[in-house]
Amino acid sequence: MTASARPVATAVTIVGAAGFALAAWWLVPWGAAPSGLTPVPASDVFSATEVARAEAYSRWALTWSLGSLAVSVGVACWLGFTTIGARLVAHLPGRWWLKVVLAVAACELIGRVATLPFSAAARQLRLEAGLTDQAWGSWAIDVLLGQAVVLVVTSLVLLVLVGCARRWHRVWPAVAGLALACFALLASFAYPLVVEPLFNRFTPLPDGSLRTSVLELADREGVAVDDVLVADASRRTTTLNAYVSGFGATKRVVLYDNLVDDTPEDQTLSVVAHELAHARHDDVLVGSALGALGVLAGVGLLGLVMPPRPGGREGVPDPARTPRVLAWLAVGALLVSPVQSGISRSIETRADVDALRATKAPVPFVALQRALAIRSRSDPTPPALVQFWFGSHPTVLERVGLVRDMT
Ligand SMILES: [Zn+2]
């Protein structure tokens, strides 16, 4: 970055951050819980044996996932904030764009190899707890596919950043920020069509009483649903889930096949009502818009933390600095996690409240929350800091607490 790019980087940071704060204040349903989120005692929902089993599993699951995170951020910082990454890139062949793609691939590969033992340990733990019966070969294909998606997306992001910084010395933070904000929106829109089919097969929910009830519920909640899809998740997991993805023409409600096959219909409808609430409020679009503004602010900040070096062309425009950009992205993602999680918990709380209002069926709701937690062995009382930083949903005891507050 030349010194004259700093004013633009500052302006982009301020516009992005202010836009994000305003949009978050306006669009996020803060205070969706009628009387705050108050957990019920664990003993109201689970037996002592169930709690002990969940805690034993969660302790190790958390160890592996936090370990993996620490190693991946640590490796990114080691490559980016020492001279090691830059020296590595110096050996790479080709023009700037090829160097950038190869640098991303090398850094991602080193990070992936370093975290592989944690992923394998986590998979072994899930296998032993009966949460998956996926064979190692098919698991390895998932890991490779997941890594390929990360590689493509990260390379595109870096190519836009470096390309803009090389082309527009002064205004690149604005150009790259806007381009990547649009890319974030587009990626979220295209995700159900491009990425999800790589991992699962989707079939329409077959005709029958469940399909009829789902469409009736959608009608009552005023949600236009073209189709409800079933994903073949059972080949990978025994846990239950459902989600909404995409927006506009790509919006879809997806149920895991094991939720359709092994769950009583009133409980499945409780999940569907939750997902329909997301669809009705366009929560995916809201999340994507917030993400896009966050990206804008992030690119501005990147312009500020990667100052110019003598000679003017170093910093972001220099492919040798790609490992440093990746390190800042890793640190940034970790630091914004509590904000993302807090927003997500508010949106999830509103979906629960709406589902309870729409179905007027608190008993299946509680039975379902219990089943979800037992199946996934989730800790009813996760460490407060972990829940604050990474918890995308209220805890199971908080969700059951909603029922008590609303009835
Ligand atoms: Zn949800």
Side-chain angles (χ1 to χ4, degrees):
M1 183 174 91
T2 56
S4 54
R6 191 172 284 276
V8 175
T10 308
V12 169
T13 306
I14 292 171
V15 169
F20 180 88
L22 267 177
W25 170 73
W26 184 42
L27 297 171
V28 176
W30 307 105
S35 42
L37 277 175
T38 327
V40 297
S43 56
D44 283 12
V45 186
F46 303 105
S47 72
T49 318
E50 286 164 346
V51 171
R53 230 163 50 129
E55 283 178 346
Y57 172 82
S58 304
R59 193 158 38 241
W60 284 107
L62 189 61
T63 305
W64 301 135
S65 73
L66 290 183
S68 174
L69 179 68
V71 168
S72 82
V73 175
V75 166
C77 290
W78 172 66
L79 291 170
F81 295 130
T82 66
T83 56
I84 292 171
R87 277 188 285 158
L88 186 89
V89 180
H91 293 294
L92 296 173
R95 304 190 52 185
W96 70 267
W97 50 267
L98 185 61
K99 278 190 205 291
V100 167
V101 172
L102 291 175
V104 170
C107 292
E108 296 292 342
L109 183 68
I110 294 169
R112 182 66 260 188
V113 170
T115 55
L116 202 54
F118 295 94
S119 311
R123 191 230 166 236
Q124 183 62 26
L125 182 70
R126 281 198 301 280
L127 194 67
E128 284 164 11
L131 300 190
T132 182
D133 50 13
Q134 189 182 17
W136 279 103
S138 143
W139 174 81
I141 290 172
D142 278 355
V143 169
L144 283 174
L145 265 179
Q147 197 56 41
V149 171
V150 169
L151 193 59
V152 169
V153 172
T154 314
S155 296
L156 283 173
V157 168
L158 264 290
L159 285 174
V160 170
L161 280 172
V162 179
C164 289
R166 292 173 74 84
R167 174 74 182 73
W168 294 284
H169 292 184
R170 278 192 212 168
V171 296
W172 73 263
V175 181
L178 286 173
L180 290 178
C182 293
F183 177 62
L185 281 174
L186 184 71
S188 173
F189 178 79
Y191 189 82
L193 302 183
V194 180
V195 179
E196 287 176 4
L198 295 175
F199 295 93
N200 284 103
R201 264 181 225 291
F202 298 89
T203 46
L205 180 62
D207 282 333
S209 74
L210 181 61
R211 188 182 172 89
T212 311
S213 309
V214 167
L215 295 177
E216 269 173 21
L217 187 62
D219 201 40
R220 268 214 314 280
E221 286 207 59
V223 188
V225 174
D226 295 336
D227 207 354
V228 180
L229 299 176
V230 181
D232 62 342
S234 60
R235 66 181 200 83
R236 190 173 293 126
T237 179
T238 60
T239 58
L240 307 170
N241 210 347
Y243 63 88
V244 182
S245 63
F247 52 84
T250 65
K251 180 153 78 180
R252 60 201 36 212
V253 175
V254 178
L255 308 178
Y256 277 20
D257 53 359
N258 34 24
L259 185 70
V260 174
D261 299 339
D262 328 339
T263 310
E265 191 169 307
D266 56 354
Q267 293 182 30
T268 307
L269 280 176
S270 175
V271 180
V272 172
H274 172 106
E275 301 307 329
L276 288 175
H278 283 315
R280 182 155 60 96
H281 294 291
D282 272 321
D283 287 338
V284 175
L285 182 57
V286 168
S288 311
L290 288 170
L293 289 164
V295 164
L296 190 63
V299 173
L301 276 175
L302 188 68
L304 293 175
V305 295
M306 298 216 16
R309 293 176 141 229
R313 264 232 151 181
E314 294 198 30
V316 176
D318 182 359
R321 297 285 149 202
T322 290
R324 179 155 304 177
V325 177
L326 292 174
W328 278 119
L329 293 184
V331 171
L334 182 60
L335 291 180
V336 300
S337 197
V339 177
Q340 268 177 330
S341 301
I343 288 172
S344 173
R345 286 195 299 273
S346 295
I347 288 174
E348 294 300 339
T349 303
R350 175 174 64 187
D352 276 350
V353 169
D354 280 13
L356 278 165
R357 288 204 180 114
T359 57
K360 299 187 178 59
V363 175
F365 179 91
V366 173
L368 172 84
Q369 295 304 327
R370 212 184 103 75
L372 292 175
I374 287 177
R375 284 264 200 143
S376 61
R377 302 263 181 116
S378 59
D379 186 354
T381 50
L385 185 62
V386 171
Q387 175 65 8
F388 168 75
W389 212 276
F390 302 108
S392 63
H393 289 64
T395 68
V396 56
L397 300 179
E398 287 169 338
R399 298 178 87 171
V400 173
L402 276 176
V403 174
R404 186 201 47 198
D405 292 344
M406 288 180 65
T407 46

